[in-house]
Amino acid sequence: MSTWTLLIVVMCVPEIVGHEGFRARIPNGYNVPDPCKPNVIWQGVGHKWFGGGGARNPFGKDFANNNLQWNADLCKLDSDGDGRTNGHELGDPDCVWTPGSTPLRTFNITHPGVCTPWGEGECNSKNYGWVCNELHCDYINAPDVRNITIRFPHTKVPAEVTNYYCFNFQLPTDQEYHMIATKPLINNSDVVHHMILTSCEGTVGLINEPQDCIMGTPSCSKAMGIWTVGMTGECINSQAGFRIGKGGTGTVSLQVHWNNPTKNNTWYDSSGLILYYTPVLRKYDAASFSVGQTNLNIPPGMPSVVHQGTCTSRCTKKIFKGPVHVVSSLNHMHNLGIRQNLTRTRSGMAQLIIMDDNPFSFDLPVSHEFTDPIIIEPGDELQTYCTYKSLSRDKTTLFGASTYDEMCFSYLTFFPAENITDSSCIQWQDTDLCDVTGNDCFDGSLFNTSHPNTSAMIEKILAHCNPYGGCRVECPAAIQDILREKPCLTKYWGFLATTFFSMNDAKLLKFVTAVESCGFANHTVMTPTTCSGVLSRVDMKFFAPLIALIFWTYL
């Protein structure tokens, strides 16, 4: 959406992929073990998450403060406070190692940024808030639980900053199952930022190779699982599971977000998930639900900008068929996000804070688990507040799929699945998109250029209005004619115009620009003497596919 400068890329690189190059700057940088799993290498030595990226651990902070260099000063520090110097832990006790040479010791290496032994003595307090990078889910060890691994084939990562690729997989369909947990398999931690597992409609087949899918595909739009950096996997509440197999989901799509800010053209990836499932069905079917805002405008150089997305009381009454029990939640913004919270407001009761990520970290998001599910009822209002800091930007940041664009969504996992009829309740500015269902503006004919009614409307506008700018004298009257036929176009024009653009249909593109040639973008029809010209939508190509996904999800 918004373009970015070289300065922004340089600022972001150390936090996202810097660990790969920096490992060569410290002794045994490629051999530091995970304190929880000694047979696994901790790839982001200076970061809290073993894969790198996000918040730094104590050693990472000291390394940064030492100008990202190994010398005697850094070597003699005890960054993690476990009684051993960084040099001792990394095999350079005499502090004489230089890049490219062999350390004095290449065995018995320990982590300089994590107090060890883990979980013992003073290390309990020094490592407070950290967990071993292992999925803790007792259910997966039950004798009835089976698992299947789905992962991308060995695939070249495009030399682009932001990449969303999808691949479909067939699940067992011999009987009914509940999927109860997921666990990540990360092949290339330098580029994998998150993965989303979605269920596909019965007619969707398999594909031969991963495909560019921007933000998913319309036929595989209901989320069943998510992994992002810092997460060890998902363990679903014992009362529910995602229905798969016979009578449920037979095909799933795995979407991988590759974040490649240096545009490296040598990387490959084959990451995926392990799905745990059981034929012993739980009491409820689980499902996912999202709340958010799809129209963002964040000016540059601002210390704080707040956007809000609301699922109104009117919308929950419309799409909720009964109470739902929320068992987990996750906030989602991008690099400018610094705080995000989600609240529930019920008439006559105090506001409940469901989650409040302060500070929020794009590279280390927090998955909130609720042993006692949070109940949301028809008529409740859900609000997500997204706070951004844009001091690093010199241009306005808008909504979009790229890491350098922004988002504002809160995701909820709940049961029973049948009590919510739509998978999202989001807004476009202050327009409630729950109104899409059953609204005369959103019947199938409006988005089908070959439909007689739609075709006649488009041809009338193109015959009287200029799609290339400039307000023709006869255009306002033609617009008034179509408004008499579809008066709701005025209220929903911003959302509809964006959706038309996302469909990449030449006639619809001309239709939008022709209508806006006389100022209709501002929700008024101006006379030729006061025409304001066509509203610029240069940035639309970056986030239009996501708006299309939202639209198709509702339909």
Side-chain angles (χ1 to χ4, degrees):
M1 184 165 302
S2 60
T3 57
W4 52 88
T5 64
L6 177 61
L7 173 63
I8 296 174
V9 173
V10 171
M11 290 173 62
C12 293
V13 165
E15 288 296 317
I16 299 172
V17 298
H19 59 81
E20 176 61 26
F22 295 155
R23 292 164 72 186
R25 298 187 186 182
I26 60 175
N28 287 301
Y30 291 88
N31 301 313
V32 178
D34 186 328
C36 299
K37 297 175 289 183
N39 61 326
V40 174
I41 297 299
W42 192 293
Q43 299 179 55
V45 181
H47 296 268
K48 288 186 176 181
W49 182 57
F50 78 100
R56 293 185 176 102
N57 59 38
F59 175 76
K61 292 177 181 178
D62 287 342
F63 184 57
N65 292 333
N66 201 50
N67 297 317
L68 306 175
Q69 299 296 325
W70 179 263
N71 56 27
D73 292 336
L74 180 62
C75 176
K76 293 176 181 179
L77 290 178
D78 177 12
S79 295
D80 54 18
D82 59 6
R84 290 166 291 174
T85 67
N86 296 332
H88 179 83
E89 297 210 56
L90 291 174
D92 183 29
D94 298 329
C95 301
V96 296
W97 179 85
T98 56
S101 64
T102 300
L104 177 65
R105 174 167 43 86
T106 58
F107 54 90
N108 293 334
I109 304 304
T110 54
H111 200 304
V114 181
C115 185
T116 53
W118 189 288
E120 297 183 17
E122 292 185 1
C123 286
N124 272 328
S125 60
K126 295 182 184 300
N127 293 329
Y128 179 75
W130 292 13
V131 295
C132 285
N133 296 289
E134 185 66 51
L135 175 63
H136 296 284
C137 188
D138 293 338
Y139 314 136
I140 64 177
N141 298 316
D144 56 279
V145 174
R146 311 171 189 180
N147 68 78
I148 182 173
T149 297
I150 61 172
R151 64 189 309 172
F152 273 37
H154 190 63
T155 304
K156 186 175 180 62
V157 177
E160 300 292 337
V161 174
T162 300
N163 301 278
Y164 291 91
Y165 271 67
C166 295
F167 197 60
N168 293 350
F169 301 87
Q170 185 67 51
L171 300 183
T173 57
D174 56 317
Q175 65 181 96
E176 294 181 321
Y177 298 101
H178 266 156
M179 187 187 78
I180 60 172
T182 63
K183 184 178 180 179
L185 290 172
I186 307 303
N187 172 252
N188 186 344
S189 61
D190 290 314
V191 292
V192 179
H193 181 268
H194 71 253
M195 297 182 287
I196 299 177
L197 182 72
T198 56
S199 64
C200 299
E201 297 174 1
T203 57
V204 174
L206 304 180
I207 53 180
N208 295 326
E209 61 184 13
Q211 297 179 355
D212 186 343
C213 58
I214 306 296
M215 290 299 293
T217 55
S219 53
C220 303
S221 59
K222 293 184 178 180
M224 298 175 60
I226 187 170
W227 172 88
T228 189
V229 289
M231 290 180 62
T232 58
E234 290 185 289
C235 185
I236 301 168
N237 187 282
S238 61
Q239 299 183 69
F242 287 90
R243 184 70 65 103
I244 66 173
K246 188 176 181 180
T249 298
T251 304
V252 292
S253 178
L254 181 66
Q255 177 206 88
V256 176
H257 173 196
W258 289 317
N259 190 38
N260 186 5
T262 59
K263 298 185 179 181
N264 189 308
N265 64 356
T266 64
W267 273 332
Y268 285 79
D269 182 51
S270 60
S271 296
L273 296 172
I274 301 175
L275 311 184
Y276 295 89
Y277 62 100
T278 174
V280 181
L281 299 181
R282 294 177 169 182
K283 185 175 181 180
Y284 300 105
D285 287 342
S288 294
F289 180 72
S290 61
V291 180
Q293 175 61 252
T294 58
N295 185 276
L296 303 177
N297 187 304
I298 306 165
M302 299 295 290
S304 179
V305 177
V306 180
H307 281 281
Q308 174 183 328
T310 302
C311 181
T312 62
S313 173
R314 184 178 57 81
C315 282
T316 60
K317 288 180 180 178
K318 183 174 183 178
I319 65 178
F320 281 49
K321 302 307 178 186
V324 299
H325 297 71
V326 177
V327 295
S328 66
S329 61
L330 179 75
N331 282 324
H332 183 70
M333 297 186 289
H334 288 174
N335 282 321
L336 296 187
I338 58 174
R339 180 178 184 178
Q340 184 175 2
N341 55 32
L342 176 69
T343 64
R344 182 203 70 190
T345 302
R346 181 174 296 164
S347 178
M349 297 182 64
Q351 187 181 71
L352 173 68
I353 298 176
I354 297 176
M355 54 179 169
D356 186 3
D357 292 335
N358 183 23
F360 171 88
S361 171
F362 174 57
D363 290 310
L364 280 176
V366 178
S367 177
H368 301 265
E369 309 291 335
F370 308 115
T371 304
D372 296 322
I374 294 175
I375 299 176
I376 302 174
E377 299 178 350
D380 287 351
E381 182 171 276
L382 298 172
Q383 293 178 316
T384 186
Y385 298 88
C386 296
T387 305
Y388 309 92
K389 181 166 68 175
S390 60
L391 295 176
S392 61
R393 301 290 173 91
D394 61 0
K395 293 184 179 180
T396 297
T397 301
L398 304 175
F399 177 89
S402 169
T403 303
Y404 297 99
D405 302 326
E406 271 305 333
M407 289 189 177
C408 179
F409 291 113
S410 293
Y411 298 98
L412 308 174
T413 300
F414 70 93
F415 67 80
E418 63 271 17
N419 276 6
I420 297 184
T421 58
D422 287 318
S423 60
S424 60
C425 183
I426 58 181
Q427 289 184 314
W428 166 262
Q429 294 179 336
D430 58 353
T431 298
D432 296 329
L433 298 188
C434 71
D435 291 331
V436 169
T437 304
N439 189 288
D440 68 326
C441 262
F442 299 92
D443 59 25
S445 66
L446 185 60
F447 301 93
N448 180 3
T449 56
S450 62
H451 190 282
N453 294 341
T454 302
S455 178
M457 179 179 67
I458 293 174
E459 294 302 327
K460 182 170 187 174
I461 292 299
L462 293 182
H464 295 85
C465 302
N466 187 358
Y468 305 108
C471 187
R472 293 168 56 178
V473 174
E474 61 271 29
C475 182
I479 293 176
Q480 292 290 4
D481 284 345
I482 67 169
L483 288 181
R484 279 190 285 270
E485 299 174 12
K486 282 191 174 293
C488 60
L489 284 176
T490 300
K491 180 179 180 180
Y492 296 107
W493 180 252
F495 172 66
L496 289 171
T498 304
T499 304
F500 289 150
F501 264 81
S502 74
M503 297 174 70
N504 200 29
D505 183 288
K507 281 191 174 181
L508 287 177
L509 295 177
K510 289 183 178 180
F511 172 69
V512 171
T513 55
V515 170
E516 294 188 354
S517 68
C518 285
F520 189 64
N522 298 321
H523 297 242
T524 57
V525 181
M526 299 183 180
T527 64
T529 58
T530 58
C531 284
S532 62
V534 179
L535 176 67
S536 174
R537 296 185 182 273
V538 175
D539 294 319
M540 197 67 67
K541 62 182 179 180
F542 291 98
F543 69 98
L546 179 56
I547 298 299
L549 174 61
I550 294 167
F551 164 69
W552 288 114
T553 298
Y554 271 99
L555 285 191

